[in-house]
Amino acid sequence: MIQIHQGIDIVDVRKFKKISLRNKQFISDIFTQKEQEYCLSRKDPYVHFAGRFAAKEACMKALGWGLSITGIDNMLLEIEISQEPSGQPLLFLSGWALKIGRKKRIHQYTVSISHAGHTAIAMVILVGTEGKKP
């Protein structure tokens, strides 16, 4: 039987930018080098950083984890948002995030990110199969 795991998150871009400018390590603590390069190449990088942050949080929710749980120190870096040449976002897991996904037998990841005004929103859907690992 198929199992659907869903997460959604919304981020205030102005607040995200303010926190990022106050804490110089904030961006490098959350985003991979590849994500940083992409966002910094855009006209307004903070809109793209906020969208990717929302996607990472949505993914953690879909995996059944939250930012307040201990033991997730680098999990945000283990969830990477990339994109197709068309701009369609792609979700990649590694490390602990991938291990959780495998444990849940997740075999398909989808992510959608949108921006409007000072808000970024993302939704992640993970598709897995029910039952114990073979």
Side-chain angles (χ1 to χ4, degrees):
M1 177 176 272
I2 292 177
Q3 285 200 321
I4 305 294
H5 307 269
Q6 178 180 323
I8 189 166
D9 196 66
I10 188 166
V11 174
D12 181 318
V13 177
R14 293 172 295 190
K15 184 177 177 182
F16 186 88
K17 181 177 181 178
K18 187 177 179 180
I19 291 168
S20 299
L21 293 174
R22 232 182 15 231
N23 179 353
K24 297 298 178 189
Q25 263 190 274
F26 185 69
I27 296 294
S28 61
D29 286 346
I30 295 171
F31 299 100
T32 65
Q33 189 63 37
K34 195 173 168 182
E35 289 172 318
Q36 291 176 54
E37 289 170 6
Y38 173 79
C39 293
L40 291 171
S41 74
R42 312 305 293 172
K43 181 179 177 186
D44 183 357
Y46 293 100
V47 169
H48 297 277
F49 278 127
R52 277 165 169 65
F53 183 75
K56 288 172 181 260
E57 279 209 72
C59 182
M60 289 179 68
K61 290 173 182 177
L63 288 170
W65 290 76
L67 283 177
S68 62
I69 295 175
T70 57
I72 60 156
D73 294 342
N74 293 317
M75 195 168 200
L76 290 172
L77 291 171
E78 296 171 350
I79 301 167
E80 184 175 61
I81 310 301
S82 186
Q83 63 284 328
E84 293 280 2
S86 66
Q88 176 187 353
L90 300 170
L91 177 66
F92 295 97
L93 303 181
S94 64
W96 186 244
L98 180 60
K99 188 174 183 175
I100 293 168
R102 285 183 177 155
K103 187 174 181 177
K104 292 181 176 274
R105 300 175 57 110
I106 293 169
H107 55 82
Q108 184 178 355
Y109 315 109
T110 61
V111 59
S112 182
I113 303 171
S114 190
H115 316 93
H118 299 290
T119 305
I121 189 168
M123 185 165 105
V124 169
I125 298 174
L126 309 175
V127 179
T129 53
E130 193 174 20
K132 293 185 179 184
K133 254 185 159 175

